[in-house]
Every structure is written in structure tokens, then in C-alpha cells.
Amino acid sequence: MPGFYDVACPSCGKEAKRETDTFDTFMDSSWYFARFCNPHNDESILDESANYWLPVDQYVGGIEHAILHLLYARFYHKLLRDLGYVTSDEPFTNLLTQGMVLKDGAKMSKNKGNTVDPKALINQYGADTVRLFSMFAAPPEHSLEWSDEGVDGSFRYLKRIWSNIHAFLESKNSEIIEIIQNNLTQDQKAMRLKTHETIKKVSEDYGVRKIFNTAIAACMELTNALVKFDDNSDNGQAISHEGWQAIIKMLSPIVPHITQELWQKLGNKGLIVDEMWPLFDEEAMVRDELQLMIQVNGKLRAKINVSANASNKEIEKLALMDENVKKFSEGKIVRKVIVVPGRLVNIV
């Protein structure tokens, strides 16, 4: 407003300009989240839309802003509350303070000359690779140690997904992608179990724990399982299709470009961002068999697969019949067999 800054000098009366840069920048950014609720409102500072949207469900900010910015934001929000503009007491419900990016153990800084140019990496590897490495290198609240080898490893993983999905599509002998539930082999059940356990874990990592590196690690484990799953039957291919499609959906928030391309390669239309998040199937996660560790005097000596409904007596019998257990218990008196349900058997 020229009427505010074009003024007469209070000392000499000549033309002058009033200083306008007087607010701390933290103060300037202390209530933008409330204004964003209705940016088209030109009549007042805030309206009822602020009370509809606020408080902010999830705030993500850098560690360097974790004190002053949040201090100012809480102060300003309570001031707006006292003036009647908002009804909530706090501006944010949840806070995630992300760590800094380090290079050789030191904070990246232009003054230190240890910055990494993301544009050069994007030109070499693509934006998806840089995003994947940034999310995989460390939990979001920890500092991230930059590693060129780590970037290359992320690139190799994306290439692995690309090549294996293309290999799967080339080997498909049918367009049928429906799984016949009542006709699954043990290997097929195990593969579906791995897929749906991964969906459950990744959903919790994203939506509850906010730990993205473990979500990526789970997708990598599922990738390994799908690569090893060699089943060209109609059911086998349908299960592989389900697994690859789940990986693409789960990775899409982190690597949106390659997943959109592969989404269409898998026979889907439209944008993957418009799709529903994958849901895990409770029935697929029911185990028919369990693998138990067998210890003899506290030392691991064997592994056995037992029915999920097996009684303790049946488990004891199977454990004592194992050849390796017989080897380490030969000539000794078995005094006690301890069964820890779902985990192990310890023979004393």
C-alpha cells in the first residue's frame, strides 16, 4: 500500500519511504496453514473453513524449524483463537520432524562445498531413483548419510522390477488373472501369504508408523519372493500378477513415474494415483503350516514344518523324529520337551 510506505520524513519533512520489512520470517509463516483453508476468501482473514479443516492432521518439518517455527505457530494460533478466528487450541495434531542430509558425516552446506546437485543425479538416474534412495537410506526422523553407492543400488532395484515384470508379461500364457481360491497348492498359498503380509506391513508403515525405509525393504523382500516363484499355471500367473501389481501400488507414492508406466504394462488403464490403496486379504494370511525352530539344549539343530492345528504332543513327536535332533540327542535321556507355540521346540 503506497499510502503506508510513501510518507514524509518525520525529521526534515522531505519525501521518504517507511520501512516495511519488520516482521520476523517465522512470524510470517506462523499461520499460513489456516489461510490455505480458503485462499479465495478476499473479505476476511479467516472464515469457517479454517474451523472445518484445522487442526492440521500431520505436520512435516525440518529439524532446524522444530523450535522457533513451532513456537511462533502455537503462539499465533492461540492468538487467533482468542480473537475468535479459530476454535481449536492447537495448530497441529501430529508432528514428524525429519532429519538433515549429511555428506561424510557433516551437514550439507554451500559454505563447506559438500552439497550434492540433485539435478545431475536426476539426469543420470531419473527422479524416481533419487526419491527412492532418499526414502530408503534412513527413517525420516533420522539424519540421512548421502551415499553414491546407495543411489546406484536404488537404481538397480528399479531396473530389477522393470525387467522382471516385463519377463513375467512375456511368459504369460493366459489373460486370466483371477485366482481360483479353492485350488491352491502349498507354494501358491505361501506366495499369496507373503503378498498380503507385505500389504499389511507397508500399509502400517505408511499410514501409522510413518517409517518409509522399512516399507521399501518389505517391497524388496516381496520382489525377491516373486522372482523365485516359478509357477506358469493359470493360478500361479494370477498370483504373480497380484503380487507385482501390489508392489507397483505400494511403491507409487515414492516412485510415481516408473510405477505409472508399469501399471499400464500390467494391463490397467488410467492413473495409478486414482486407484484405491491395496487391501490385505485376511483369508490369504491364514497359515496352513508353521515352521518351527528345534533346539537341543538351547542350540538350534533343525527346522520342521507342522500343521497350524497340530497339538503340542504331535509337535513333540515330529521334533524327536527329526534326524538331526536324533543325532544330537543320541545316547542321552530326554528330560523335557518345551513347545513355544508358533515359534520353537526346545529339547532338554
Side-chain angles (χ1 to χ4, degrees), residues 8 16 76 127 133 179 182 198 214 217 230 239 248 256 268 277 293 330:
Y76 212 112
F133 168 74
I179 299 171
N182 59 359
T198 304
T214 54
D230 186 16
I239 290 167
I248 294 307
N268 303 290
W277 184 255
M293 306 296 110
E330 188 177 1

Side-chain angles (χ1 to χ4, degrees), residues 107-120:
K107 174 188 170 184
M108 281 194 185
S109 167
K110 290 182 180 178
N111 294 332
K112 295 178 181 178
N114 64 345
T115 58
V116 175
D117 182 6
K119 185 176 180 182

Side-chain angles (χ1 to χ4, degrees), residues 319-331:
L320 292 170
M321 289 173 57
D322 184 87
E323 291 300 322
N324 219 33
V325 170
K326 289 180 181 179
K327 174 183 173 183
F328 285 96
S329 60
E330 188 177 1

